[in-house]
Amino acid sequence: MKTIYHFCWIFVSMSAIGNSFSDTENQSLNEIMRALSDGSEQIQQGISGENYTAMQLAAKKVLQRSKVPTDVMAKLVEELGAEVMRYKDFETAMYYQAKYLLKAIEQRNIEKVSLHYHQLLQQCHDCHAIFFTPCTL
Ligand code: HEC
């Protein structure tokens, strides 16, 4: 739980500072990110309670959101230019990580689940470090 709160705190404080994504774009990307955040928290709760059904539902939610829809991607291309390739790499890595996590959940292997979950959170952080700070864009 502590990790999640820590992450949320970082997200919230970064939103407060603001960044150079336009408002309309923030809307849909924000919604996706909120869902990713909810999903991650639900996975964490599932891990704490060893509730595989909850973990599976939440991991599917994360997996579904780990590739943005084409209209959001089009705006990202506009916004980021060539840097969008780098963004895409992070996104693809998150997609596969969510798949590994889901597989570990289906295998009911709690150690693997924990490992893949923490790697997933690391990926959230890595992408944010580059694309979600006021000074890098
Ligand atoms: C490929 C890059 C990338 C990855 C991976 C990524 N994010 Fe984000 N995230 C962003 C960007 C860009 C923003 C800023 C969006 C904006 O300005 O609206 C953001 C913003 C957020 C926000 C703040 C939304 C708001 O209301 O301002 C949350 C929460 C968030 N991400 C959660 C997550 C979680 C949880 C994960 C991992 C499961 C994750 N993100 C993975 C790029 C990423």
Side-chain angles (χ1 to χ4, degrees), residues 54-134:
M55 281 185 239
Q56 194 176 20
L57 275 173
K60 280 184 178 163
K61 183 173 174 175
V62 169
L63 184 62
Q64 276 163 10
R65 265 80 167 190
S66 60
K67 279 190 175 170
V68 299
T70 36
D71 58 324
V72 177
M73 187 41 77
K75 282 175 189 159
L76 281 167
V77 170
E78 230 172 75
E79 200 80 40
L80 298 173
E83 276 295 286
V84 81
M85 300 304 286
R86 209 165 161 208
Y87 188 93
K88 258 290 192 199
D89 285 345
F90 280 113
E91 204 191 66
T92 306
M94 172 168 61
Y95 175 77
Y96 283 107
Q97 189 59 43
K99 279 200 155 186
Y100 298 145
L101 176 59
L102 187 57
K103 203 174 163 197
I105 292 167
E106 282 162 0
Q107 291 170 343
R108 296 189 167 235
N109 182 333
I110 200 70
E111 267 135 58
K112 258 196 191 172
V113 169
S114 284
L115 177 74
H116 287 308
Y117 175 68
H118 284 103
Q119 283 173 350
L120 179 75
L121 288 189
Q122 186 58 49
Q123 290 177 338
C124 312
H125 178 77
D126 289 348
C127 187
H128 292 164
I130 294 170
F131 292 105
F132 188 31
T133 54

Side-chain angles (χ1 to χ4, degrees), residues 7-8 11-12 15 19 21-22 25-27 29-34 36-38 40 62 76 86-92 94 120-121 123-125 127-128 131-132 137:
F7 266 94
C8 288
F11 296 153
V12 170
S15 320
N19 57 63
F21 279 84
S22 69
E25 180 177 4
N26 284 355
Q27 207 80 56
L29 194 57
N30 259 2
E31 278 162 19
I32 293 164
M33 288 299 155
R34 294 263 171 225
L36 284 176
S37 183
D38 287 352
S40 304
V62 169
L76 281 167
R86 209 165 161 208
Y87 188 93
K88 258 290 192 199
D89 285 345
F90 280 113
E91 204 191 66
T92 306
M94 172 168 61
L120 179 75
L121 288 189
Q123 290 177 338
C124 312
H125 178 77
C127 187
H128 292 164
F131 292 105
F132 188 31
L137 279 176

